[in-house]
Amino acid sequence: MIAGTPHSWGFDRNSATFTFHYSTQSADGMRSFPSGSVTQIATPRLSYPDGYAAQVSGGKVVSRSGARVMRVASCPGASEVSVKVAPALAPAQGC
């Protein structure tokens, strides 16, 4: 479930790095999702057998650490959210 409109995403198999960028605006462009709206991102054990870390801008991770479905809530005033997930990232996020 995405609380907005996807702009880009990708997965690099060699580094097990997932990137995702979306706007908080609805696909029809008529409204924006409210602050705190949650996007769900699958983080399968096959890709992250030893866990993962996330870097988020425009949002924050609201699921428990290591959850197989990571939940990202948008920050107040954010019009864009960017997420990077990888096994060996220094966690960074902010609202």
Side-chain angles (χ1 to χ4, degrees):
M1 178 168 81
I2 302 167
T5 302
H7 287 290
S8 64
W9 65 89
F11 184 75
D12 180 295
R13 289 182 197 177
N14 293 328
S15 64
T17 300
F18 173 74
T19 55
F20 183 42
H21 181 77
Y22 63 97
S23 76
T24 57
Q25 192 165 33
S26 63
D28 65 8
M30 300 299 290
R31 64 180 180 90
S32 290
F33 284 81
S35 298
S37 293
V38 174
T39 293
Q40 297 179 355
I41 300 170
T43 53
R45 193 172 317 280
L46 180 64
S47 298
Y48 304 106
D50 298 318
Y52 61 87
Q55 293 177 342
V56 181
S57 64
K60 65 179 180 176
V61 176
V62 294
S63 53
R64 67 173 171 72
S65 179
R68 290 297 154 201
V69 176
M70 184 174 65
R71 300 176 73 228
V72 175
S74 60
C75 293
S79 61
E80 304 280 330
V81 179
S82 294
V83 180
K84 183 176 182 179
V85 179
L89 285 175
Q93 59 182 0
C95 273

